[in-house]
Amino acid sequence: MIDRTLNYVFGHSDFKTLGGSRTDAKVSANSFIFELFLKAPLADEASFLENFNLNLPADIRGLSIEKTDAEFNIIQTPKTKEYLYLFSFGQKAHPFSAPFVSTFPEQLNIDTMMRGAKLFEGEHEFRAYCKKPGDDTVTRRTIALCEIIPNTFYTANFFPSPSYALRISGKGFMRNQIRLIMGQLVRLGRNEVDLNFIAQSLTPAFDEHLSFVAPASGLILNEVNH
């Protein structure tokens, strides 16, 4: 959609865009970055951004624009990504909240889930937390922060109360990694697994298939810092 809008704004397709990250379908993004390659500099960056926003669909908004040099690469530039996974449990939520908050109908042990989330912090072997990793996939990753806290990030009068947020940040995440982490934390809250299982799942010797992937609709790419 961004490329289609740029094509209309420029009146040509002689440009290239490169996204700084990717998400699954139905995942929201509060912050996203992409690199725009042009053959000539923009005459007026502020006017371009205004025109770009006027022609973008209602669910996309350009926030800022910054000039880079020819050596800059948005993929290779070090950056930290913060994701939120919003959820509630033990109730049937208002349907309007469905695109943003995942609701698990059973009662969950939230205190144990909070303890379990902290086990994911640091450098671990996350091969079990990647959907179909390839032979060249780097599965040993570092998570800077992983916590479950009350949701004060996004609110609406139709959101379930209380709601919670899994807050997780790091330099990069593999396919389905965060949704698999959330899935195991839900299993922990159901007492299907224990804290020792979570710890063991982060070791090279762990070979069990983790099948429960939490729904995509609760996940938000909240911040990208570079």
Side-chain angles (χ1 to χ4, degrees):
M1 184 55 67
I2 286 173
D3 285 347
R4 288 177 60 185
T5 303
L6 289 170
N7 197 337
Y8 179 80
V9 169
F10 291 138
H12 62 77
S13 59
D14 196 11
F15 62 86
K16 180 182 177 181
T17 59
L18 182 63
S21 60
R22 62 184 181 185
T23 61
D24 296 338
K26 297 185 180 181
V27 174
S28 301
N30 180 58
S31 175
F32 182 83
I33 52 177
F34 71 92
E35 190 172 3
L36 172 62
F37 298 88
L38 297 168
K39 290 188 174 180
L42 293 170
D44 188 331
E45 294 175 10
S47 296
F48 163 77
L49 186 60
E50 181 180 3
N51 194 23
F52 184 50
N53 269 317
L54 284 173
N55 290 283
L56 281 169
D59 59 349
I60 305 177
R61 179 179 61 165
L63 300 176
S64 64
I65 183 170
E66 179 182 345
K67 184 182 293 184
T68 64
D69 56 38
E71 283 70 43
F72 181 80
N73 184 301
I74 199 70
I75 299 295
Q76 298 175 355
T77 299
K79 52 189 172 290
T80 300
K81 301 173 187 176
E82 178 184 271
Y83 283 88
L84 301 174
Y85 193 98
L86 305 185
F87 69 99
S88 66
F89 59 88
Q91 56 184 308
K92 180 72 174 182
H94 194 291
F96 286 1
S97 68
F100 312 106
V101 183
S102 286
T103 303
F104 302 97
E106 62 272 74
Q107 290 295 327
L108 300 177
N109 187 329
I110 194 68
D111 291 334
T112 303
M113 292 174 68
M114 289 177 174
R115 292 168 60 194
K118 303 304 290 183
L119 296 177
F120 290 98
E121 291 184 346
E123 182 179 329
H124 301 289
E125 174 55 66
F126 283 97
R127 174 164 288 273
Y129 290 88
C130 177
K131 184 177 181 181
K132 297 180 179 179
D135 293 337
D136 58 347
T137 302
V138 178
T139 56
R140 190 160 188 87
R141 301 290 179 106
T142 300
I143 290 181
L145 174 71
C146 187
E147 62 181 359
I148 291 178
I149 54 179
N151 170 34
T152 58
F153 300 94
Y154 299 97
T155 60
N157 60 5
F158 51 80
F159 274 17
S161 182
S163 63
Y164 298 89
L166 169 66
R167 183 184 182 190
I168 186 168
S169 65
K171 289 185 177 180
F173 297 93
M174 299 176 292
R175 186 181 182 189
N176 285 171
Q177 182 178 350
I178 297 175
R179 292 170 60 196
L180 278 163
I181 289 173
M182 184 64 204
Q184 302 319 299
L185 290 173
V186 171
R187 293 182 68 204
L188 182 66
R190 292 172 176 167
N191 296 317
E192 295 177 1
V193 298
D194 58 18
L195 291 169
N196 183 62
F197 176 88
I198 299 296
Q200 289 298 315
S201 71
L202 298 169
T203 63
F206 185 80
D207 60 359
E208 183 176 329
H209 174 63
L210 303 179
S211 60
F212 183 29
V213 181
S217 54
L219 187 56
I220 299 170
L221 174 57
N222 194 48
E223 289 183 359
V224 179
N225 300 306
H226 64 91

